[in-house]
């Protein structure tokens, strides 16, 4: 008995890998969409019932901003297409979100083109982002303490800049 090569149940290893790449891509983007959908109810809970329990140690105890302070507000502003407000909340993380969207679009195009390598993020990009995030956190706190510049507005009064 001779087997035919074009049977539907005979799938090559490359095709299995490609299908798994699509599954991962769809799952990743589905998780992002689910997170965006859950952000609105979370914001209402965080501003209401959960406010005493959700806090940043840096902000509450040291009256300084961690490098990621303002991300939730930034994402909320971004989902409402208020880019200037999003940039005011946390410009560094806004750049990260836009870069992630760019790399996600590149991955989608690579999947459509049947390219072998989908994720084309080099490790150096990650380290550059971490360095920028740390510098951003330091500069934001220096501007707050020394000059009273507080775009978020949570700690200005503590430092005597009311």
């Amino acid at each position: 008995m001779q087997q035919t090569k074009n049977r539907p149940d005979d799938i090559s290893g490359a095709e299995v890998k490609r299908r798994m790449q699509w599954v991962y891509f769809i799952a990743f983007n589905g998780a992002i969409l689910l997170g965006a959908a859950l952000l609105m109810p979370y914001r209402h809970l965080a501003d209401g019932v959960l406010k005493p329990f959700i806090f940043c140690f840096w902000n509450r105890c040291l009256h300084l901003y961690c490098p990621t302070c303002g991300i939730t507000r930034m994402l909320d502003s971004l989902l409402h297409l208020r880019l200037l407000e999003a940039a005011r909340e946390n410009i560094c993380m806004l750049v990260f979100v836009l870069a992630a969207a760019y790399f996600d679009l590149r991955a989608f195009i690579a999947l459509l083109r049947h390219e072998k390598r989908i994720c084309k993020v080099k490790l150096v990009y990650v380290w550059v982002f971490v360095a920028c995030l740390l510098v951003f956190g330091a500069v934001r706190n220096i501007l707050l303490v020394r000059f009273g510049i507080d775009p978020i507005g949570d700690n200005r009064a503590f430092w005597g800049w009311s």
Side-chain angles (χ1 to χ4, degrees), residues 74 90-103 129 133:
M74 182 272 305
N90 194 322
I91 186 76
C92 197
M93 291 308 295
L94 177 63
V95 170
F96 172 75
V97 167
L98 295 176
Y102 167 75
F103 284 113
F129 173 72
L133 191 63

Side-chain angles (χ1 to χ4, degrees), residues 23-109:
V23 167
Y24 294 145
F25 180 80
I26 291 169
F28 175 76
N29 285 286
I32 290 173
L33 290 175
L34 179 64
L38 293 176
L39 183 64
M40 299 302 172
Y42 169 75
R43 284 279 295 170
H44 291 296
L45 285 173
D47 288 341
V49 178
L50 298 176
K51 190 166 185 127
F53 306 107
I54 299 175
F55 65 91
C56 174
F57 169 79
W58 286 61
N59 199 347
R60 181 166 295 172
C61 299
L62 302 176
H63 300 283
L64 295 171
Y65 294 115
C66 71
T68 59
C69 274
I71 288 179
T72 305
R73 288 178 271 192
M74 182 272 305
L75 288 172
D76 188 43
S77 298
L78 190 62
L79 287 174
H80 286 96
L81 300 177
R82 296 186 303 252
L83 294 178
L84 291 177
E85 189 176 316
R88 182 177 54 89
E89 299 292 347
N90 194 322
I91 186 76
C92 197
M93 291 308 295
L94 177 63
V95 170
F96 172 75
V97 167
L98 295 176
Y102 167 75
F103 284 113
D104 191 51
L105 181 63
R106 279 183 55 182
F108 180 67
I109 292 170

